[in-house]
Amino acid sequence: MPYVSYVEFSVRDVPGAAAFYQKVFNWKPAPFGDDYLVASHGDEPGIDTGFMAAQDDSQRVVPTITVPNLDEYADRVAQTGGTIVVEKFTIPTIGYALYFLDPSGLMVGLHEYDPNAA
């Protein structure tokens, strides 16, 4: 069954946000690629949190749902009134992802795990 597996904080000031959450919660955001940080939940229950620069100056929290087949769920999104706003892309050794808006305008990510993604 699909489940929320990740959350992204899309913010205007990535270093400032990372410092805030590190001071408040002792999170340790680490670089993951260019201009992206990930705070791992470690051995505790929870999900990892990504920090990225807001692409349109609108700060938001974006949940990501892991699905068994990204293409199938992208079709479901489109057929039920959602809009794909970032087409499928590869995250090497992690899998594939995309972003959509639901009919109310909420942004959500979809992710398919594939350790062989290149």
Side-chain angles (χ1 to χ4, degrees):
M1 174 184 289
Y3 57 93
V4 175
S5 59
Y6 192 75
V7 65
E8 285 182 322
F9 292 3
S10 178
V11 297
R12 290 185 194 100
D13 177 9
V14 172
F20 172 82
Y21 286 96
Q22 184 169 8
K23 288 176 186 172
V24 173
F25 299 111
N26 200 30
W27 291 1
K28 308 260 188 284
F32 184 87
D34 296 332
D35 303 320
Y36 198 90
L37 301 174
V38 174
S40 172
H41 71 281
D43 295 330
E44 299 296 324
I47 58 178
D48 294 347
T49 303
F51 293 86
M52 64 182 288
Q55 301 300 304
D56 60 2
D57 207 37
S58 295
Q59 300 189 108
R60 61 179 57 94
V61 175
V62 180
T64 298
I65 300 170
T66 294
V67 296
N69 184 307
L70 188 68
D71 296 328
E72 176 186 332
Y73 280 85
D75 287 344
R76 288 183 185 190
V77 165
Q79 291 172 7
T80 54
T83 304
I84 306 297
V85 293
V86 176
E87 295 291 332
K88 180 178 177 180
F89 60 93
T90 302
I91 308 167
T93 72
I94 304 292
Y96 306 95
L98 61 77
Y99 294 93
F100 70 91
L101 296 176
D102 74 7
S104 72
L106 179 68
M107 184 177 289
V108 178
L110 285 181
H111 170 257
E112 177 184 342
Y113 178 69
D114 182 352
N116 298 313

